[in-house]
Amino acid sequence: MNSHVLQQLQHHRSSATDPSNPLFIAVQGPQGSGKTFLTSRLRDVLTSPPHSLSVAVLSIDDLYLPHTELVALAQENPHNRLLQGRGQPGTHDVKLGTHILTQLKHVNEFDSQPIQIPYFDKSLFSGEGDRVQIGVVIKRHVDVVMLEGWCVGFYPATREEIDRKWEEPVLGLGEDFFAKRGFRKEDVVEVNERLKEFLEWWKFFDAFIQIKPVDSHPYDYIYRWRLQQEHNMKVKNGGKGMTDEQVEKFVDRYIPGYVFFGDGILNGGVDVNGQKQLPPWLGHGLSIQIGEERELMHVSNF
């Protein structure tokens, strides 16, 4: 990851229209895969000698709507299980995210102002979480901006793609997974429309790092990883968070996102006009496959 970022930074500085702007790196990985930990370690390495770079890290989790707005969204969409709590596109503050990314794009300009990064505390409201006004303040000069999150780089699909994948078994989770877990195809179609708002975010990014399970277990490992993550958080905060059953239902709500939209990282998707759109990071991507114990299995570029 370190070598990839340094290589991309060198390319950015030699070829960008304005090389004084930060290099924007997107980092994607499923819940519990270690993306937040690895991004933090990567930041530590890049900010230490001999590199001594200035790195700003933003998590897509910190751009969730405040708890009151998440509750209102769920009440407005009582039949859509995908919107019953944080997670899927539609539960993020897209306007705030666009504002922060725009500020970061211009952070190195002479008249730039300090940038307040929000923080979403996942332990509040019995694990439902809430955005709190305790975050990081970023000032110039910044060399690298990293946005990490579970759905970073996801693209909207065509209706034909949704129809096809809906009928297919979900690898590792059995036949009729969506119906058994109470999801409807129209729920996915609704989230697909909301995902189109994220395309403005993806335009900022120059390069990509994807952390993914091995192809033979694309989804089932996520349940175990996310449960370990919740247990670890509760040990540190005195037991605040979700029960094991709540964690399973929580992960259920994310699986449709991986299935229907995750291919967009490599293949792109459709824009608001239904036109094919390719990701801006193609040719500048790093894929890291990990096993059940998060051990390194394979590395490739895309």
Side-chain angles (χ1 to χ4, degrees):
M1 292 174 67
N2 178 47
S3 298
H4 180 68
V5 173
L6 292 174
Q7 180 184 40
Q8 296 305 315
L9 181 60
Q10 182 179 21
H11 178 269
H12 173 74
R13 287 174 170 172
S14 64
S15 62
T17 303
D18 188 350
S20 66
N21 291 337
L23 170 73
F24 276 65
I25 299 274
V27 182
Q28 187 273 335
Q31 300 120 296
S33 61
K35 64 183 175 301
T36 302
F37 171 76
L38 289 173
T39 302
S40 176
R41 290 290 302 274
L42 177 59
R43 177 189 57 201
D44 292 344
V45 171
L46 292 172
T47 57
S48 300
H51 312 302
S52 301
L53 298 172
S54 177
V55 180
V57 176
L58 176 65
S59 171
I60 202 170
D61 290 355
D62 293 326
L63 297 174
Y64 283 129
L65 296 168
H67 185 260
T68 54
E69 295 184 36
L70 289 173
V71 171
L73 178 69
Q75 292 174 344
E76 292 165 3
N77 299 272
H79 302 297
N80 191 332
R81 279 206 59 216
L82 296 179
L83 299 178
Q84 301 304 303
R86 73 179 193 267
Q88 292 285 351
T91 65
H92 299 81
D93 190 334
V94 177
K95 184 177 180 180
L96 174 63
T98 301
H99 176 66
I100 291 174
L101 289 171
T102 301
Q103 285 184 298
L104 289 169
K105 185 76 172 180
H106 301 285
V107 67
N108 293 333
E109 296 177 3
F110 178 76
D111 58 349
S112 66
Q113 300 297 312
I115 304 167
Q116 177 75 46
I117 304 298
Y119 172 67
F120 192 90
D121 189 337
K122 299 176 183 178
S123 70
L124 300 177
F125 294 97
S126 300
E128 293 180 3
D130 194 11
R131 190 199 301 164
V132 295
Q133 298 302 316
I134 304 174
V136 177
V137 176
I138 296 174
K139 304 177 181 178
R140 60 182 176 99
H141 173 80
V142 176
D143 297 297
V144 178
V145 172
M146 292 190 286
L147 173 69
E148 60 95 358
W150 79 277
C151 63
V152 170
F154 284 13
Y155 269 78
T158 65
R159 181 56 191 261
E160 291 74 20
E161 289 172 318
I162 293 174
D163 289 341
R164 175 178 57 81
K165 291 182 178 180
W166 183 265
E167 299 300 328
E168 296 174 350
V170 180
L171 184 60
L173 300 180
E175 299 281 348
D176 300 322
F177 170 81
F178 301 122
K180 289 178 179 177
R181 300 302 170 103
F183 300 121
R184 307 172 306 162
K185 190 191 296 185
E186 50 263 47
D187 299 341
V188 177
V189 172
E190 167 67 18
V191 171
N192 191 60
E193 286 299 310
R194 293 175 181 268
L195 180 57
K196 292 177 181 179
E197 296 181 305
F198 284 60
L199 298 183
E200 288 301 311
W201 289 6
W202 305 160
K203 293 177 182 178
F204 285 90
F205 291 92
D206 308 294
F208 207 98
I209 298 173
Q210 183 180 30
I211 303 161
K212 56 186 295 186
V214 290
D215 293 338
S216 57
H217 293 270
Y219 312 116
D220 53 317
Y221 286 170
I222 299 173
Y223 286 88
R224 178 184 177 188
W225 292 342
R226 185 59 184 83
L227 186 62
Q228 291 172 339
Q229 187 181 52
E230 193 75 10
H231 287 177
N232 184 58
M233 181 187 73
K234 290 167 72 174
V235 166
K236 293 179 178 178
N237 70 15
K240 294 185 294 182
M242 292 183 281
T243 66
D244 290 3
E245 182 180 5
Q246 288 173 324
V247 170
E248 181 176 357
K249 292 180 178 179
F250 179 75
V251 176
D252 283 347
R253 205 168 61 241
Y254 285 71
I255 297 299
Y258 299 122
V259 173
F260 292 99
F261 315 128
D263 290 348
I265 293 172
L266 296 177
N267 302 324
V270 294
D271 62 17
V272 293
N273 299 313
Q275 300 299 309
K276 179 69 175 182
Q277 187 175 106
L278 292 175
W281 48 76
L282 291 183
H284 303 276
L286 177 71
S287 176
I288 302 171
Q289 283 197 327
I290 57 176
E292 186 174 6
E293 303 301 327
R294 303 180 185 85
E295 72 276 20
L296 179 64
M297 301 295 290
H298 182 69
V299 177
S300 60
N301 296 99
F302 61 90

